[in-house]
């Protein structure tokens, strides 16, 4: 049986044909033919005159003709004062060696240097407001793309500017989970590939702290940059995952002490995923970033709970390691996770000799105790 086009198909083909004919006719009449014969329809001149009228709107009424005033007014002295200051700061010779100043902004960003800060406070407020809203919007779109269902608890304890937010680490999407409920400054190592592209895009909108691989080993440099950030109370709270690697969300492993040496207020956050809907753990030695994200998007859902714990500070006589262990214990207790003392770096490295020595000492004490018990009996 042969195929017969429907009336709708005929109508669609006719509309496409008409559209192409109109587009090609306009291209031929207004661009190709005038370019061949060197003629102009005046459209560009009309466009230029329209722009000039727009630019003149800002300038109209701004200049005052002093000669039109019949009597002297006290406000007239401000004109001469301004002219005198301008002559000192920007004389007629020096200004010839820089781009010509415009009397009104022509709506191009590259010539906006004289009109950028019409109101400094308004500019800062608008930038911060728009940056926050755009960040939240983008992260919430990502949450929806992952079919993430997130429950936030105790939002009154959310991190504040000038503080450090620390959380257990399971996956790169931990950042999306937290950032969809608030803005943070990220800290991490510079990566390549897709992750590097994302990092470079993020730092253009917010002062994130990225380190080169060689800089990560310099503890003093890292501490200095973190300290400078938290001292500025206008900057976003820093988001840090002190474990330094992804753990499978059944436990919390050793927290690196670097972020607890700064002396700033720490806001602990516990993240617990529900593995029944999808395994959020990123095994970086097995899956690349793109492959991992595809697995997350093809899961049934990403279901997790986030608890904002009360802020914590170092107590008197408490060192950074003890403070880190206290924060880690609070996160593990709230998230129902196992509190481990082992270093998460063991995922890629060998066991340190110090850990071996501790186990050897413990085993030797057990042997000595057993020998003494036998001798007494």
């Amino acid at each position: 049986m042969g195929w017969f086009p429907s009336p709708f198909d005929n109508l669609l083909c006719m509309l496409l044909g008409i559209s192409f004919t109109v587009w090609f006719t306009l291209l031929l009449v207004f661009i190709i033919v005038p370019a061949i014969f060197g003629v102009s329809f005046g459209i560009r001149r009309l466009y230029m005159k329209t722009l000039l009228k727009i630019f003149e709107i800002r300038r109209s009424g701004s200049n005052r003709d002093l000669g039109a005033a019949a009597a002297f007014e006290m406000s007239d002295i401000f004109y001469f004062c301004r002219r005198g200051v301008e002559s000192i700061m920007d004389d007629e010779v020096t200004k010839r060696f820089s781009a010509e100043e415009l009397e009104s902004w022509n709506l191009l960003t590259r010539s906006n240097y004289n009109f950028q800060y019409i109101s400094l406070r308004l500019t800062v407020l608008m930038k911060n407001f728009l940056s926050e809203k755009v960040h939240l919007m983008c992260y919430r779109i990502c949450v929806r793309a992952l079919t993430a269902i997130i429950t936030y608890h105790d939002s009154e304890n959310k991190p504040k500017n000038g503080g450090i937010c620390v959380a257990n680490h399971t996956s790169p999407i931990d950042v999306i989970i937290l950032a969809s409920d608030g803005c943070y400054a990220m800290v991490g190592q510079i990566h390549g590939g897709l992750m590097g592209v994302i990092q470079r895009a993020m730092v253009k909108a917010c002062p994130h702290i990225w380190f080169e691989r060689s800089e990560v080993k310099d503890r003093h440099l890292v501490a200095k940059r973190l300290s400078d950030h938290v001292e500025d109370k206008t900057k976003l709270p820093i988001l840090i995952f002190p474990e330094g690697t992804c753990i499978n969300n059944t436990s919390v492993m050793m927290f690196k002490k670097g972020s607890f040496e700064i002396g700033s207020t720490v806001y602990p956050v516990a993240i617990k995923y529900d593995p029944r809907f999808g395994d959020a753990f990123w095994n970086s030695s097995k899956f690349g970033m793109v492959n991992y994200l595809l697995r997350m998007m093809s899961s049934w859902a990403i279901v997790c709970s986030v608890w904002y714990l009360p802020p914590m500070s170092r107590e008197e006589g408490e060192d950074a390691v003890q403070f880190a262990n206290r924060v880690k214990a609070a996160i593990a207790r709230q998230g129902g996770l196992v509190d481990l003392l082992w270093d998460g770096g063991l995922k890629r490295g060998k066991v340190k000799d110090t850990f071996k020595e501790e186990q050897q000492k413990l085993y030797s004490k057990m042997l000595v105790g057993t020998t003494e018990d036998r001798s007494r009996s």
Side-chain angles (χ1 to χ4, degrees):
M1 183 176 180
W3 176 81
F4 297 96
S6 64
F8 177 77
D9 294 333
N10 292 332
L11 178 62
L12 181 61
C13 293
M14 184 178 65
L15 291 177
L16 289 176
I18 294 174
S19 300
F20 178 78
T21 303
V22 171
W23 175 83
F24 184 77
T25 302
L26 293 175
L27 179 67
L28 183 67
V29 173
F30 290 97
I31 297 180
I32 299 178
V33 173
I36 294 175
F37 297 97
V39 297
S40 174
F41 292 104
I43 298 177
R44 288 174 295 174
R45 291 185 179 274
L46 178 61
Y47 170 72
M48 181 188 66
K49 291 179 180 179
T50 303
L51 287 178
L52 290 176
K53 289 185 180 295
I54 295 175
F55 300 155
E56 288 291 336
I57 294 176
R58 292 179 53 89
R59 198 174 66 178
S60 60
S62 61
N63 296 330
R64 178 168 177 254
D65 186 6
L66 292 178
F72 176 80
E73 296 181 5
M74 185 61 68
S75 60
D76 291 342
I77 63 176
F78 293 109
Y79 171 80
F80 299 101
C81 292
R82 180 175 63 85
R83 294 293 296 176
V85 174
E86 288 177 352
S87 299
I88 296 173
M89 298 181 62
D90 191 13
D91 59 271
E92 294 184 352
V93 176
T94 305
K95 67 189 302 182
R96 308 305 172 188
F97 306 117
S98 59
E100 180 183 2
E101 296 182 4
L102 302 177
E103 296 184 6
S104 61
W105 182 32
N106 64 357
L107 305 182
L108 294 178
T109 55
R110 55 179 172 267
S111 58
N112 193 26
Y113 49 86
N114 283 328
F115 307 95
Q116 184 174 3
Y117 299 115
I118 298 173
S119 172
L120 179 60
R121 181 177 299 179
L122 179 61
T123 301
V124 173
L125 290 177
M126 287 298 295
K127 179 181 182 299
N128 293 339
F129 175 79
L130 291 176
S131 176
E132 178 181 354
K133 296 304 179 183
V134 170
H135 270 79
L136 290 175
M137 179 187 68
C138 293
Y139 283 116
R140 286 167 182 170
I141 291 175
C142 293
V143 165
R144 285 159 176 78
L146 294 170
T147 319
I149 304 171
I150 313 169
T151 304
Y152 298 98
H153 305 272
D154 305 322
S155 295
E156 65 275 9
N157 297 325
K158 287 175 61 175
K160 297 178 174 58
N161 290 359
I164 298 178
C165 174
V166 297
N168 57 302
H169 197 23
T170 304
S171 158
I173 66 175
D174 293 340
V175 175
I176 300 175
I177 298 298
L178 294 177
S180 63
D181 193 43
C183 295
Y184 298 91
M186 311 299 176
V187 176
Q189 180 179 308
I190 295 178
H191 293 271
L194 177 61
M195 183 65 74
V197 174
I198 297 175
Q199 286 180 320
R200 289 191 293 271
M202 291 173 61
V203 80
K204 293 180 179 179
C206 182
H208 300 290
I209 305 175
W210 304 130
F211 295 96
E212 296 286 352
R213 183 180 297 272
S214 59
E215 295 177 337
V216 175
K217 299 180 181 179
D218 191 344
R219 293 179 58 251
H220 297 289
L221 176 61
V222 174
K224 178 67 168 55
R225 293 187 61 180
L226 295 179
S227 178
D228 293 342
H229 185 100
V230 298
E231 287 177 359
D232 189 349
K233 301 303 179 182
T234 62
K235 292 185 176 181
L236 298 174
I238 299 176
L239 177 59
I240 298 179
F241 301 102
E243 290 170 297
T245 188
C246 294
I247 311 299
N248 66 358
N249 205 229
T250 61
S251 62
V252 183
M253 304 191 74
M254 186 182 74
F255 278 8
K256 304 294 191 297
K257 66 177 183 179
S259 55
F260 300 91
E261 293 177 328
I262 301 175
S264 176
T265 302
V266 172
Y267 296 86
V269 176
I271 306 175
K272 178 62 178 176
Y273 292 91
D274 192 337
R276 294 175 298 178
F277 300 93
D279 184 12
F281 171 57
W282 181 36
N283 189 346
S284 56
S285 61
K286 188 176 181 181
F287 302 106
M289 175 58 68
V290 176
N291 192 354
Y292 169 76
L293 291 177
L294 291 176
R295 289 171 59 88
M296 290 298 96
M297 292 180 181
S298 58
S299 299
W300 293 115
I302 305 297
V303 181
C304 70
S305 295
V306 176
W307 289 272
Y308 296 108
L309 280 65
M312 303 174 67
S313 301
R314 283 178 63 174
E315 298 177 350
E316 186 176 356
E318 186 179 43
D319 59 22
V321 175
Q322 294 171 337
F323 182 32
N325 290 333
R326 183 161 60 91
V327 174
K328 178 167 68 74
I331 293 176
R333 184 168 53 252
Q334 181 63 70
L337 307 171
V338 180
D339 186 2
L340 298 178
L341 296 176
W342 293 98
D343 186 359
L346 294 174
K347 183 168 68 173
R348 295 184 179 86
K350 296 181 179 180
V351 179
K352 295 181 180 179
D353 293 336
T354 54
F355 287 110
K356 295 180 180 179
E357 292 174 0
E358 290 179 1
Q359 296 299 317
Q360 290 170 356
K361 290 179 181 179
L362 179 62
Y363 186 62
S364 63
K365 289 180 181 180
M366 294 172 61
L367 290 178
V368 171
T370 303
T371 305
E372 291 179 353
D373 294 337
R374 289 178 178 178
S375 63
R376 289 175 183 176
S377 61

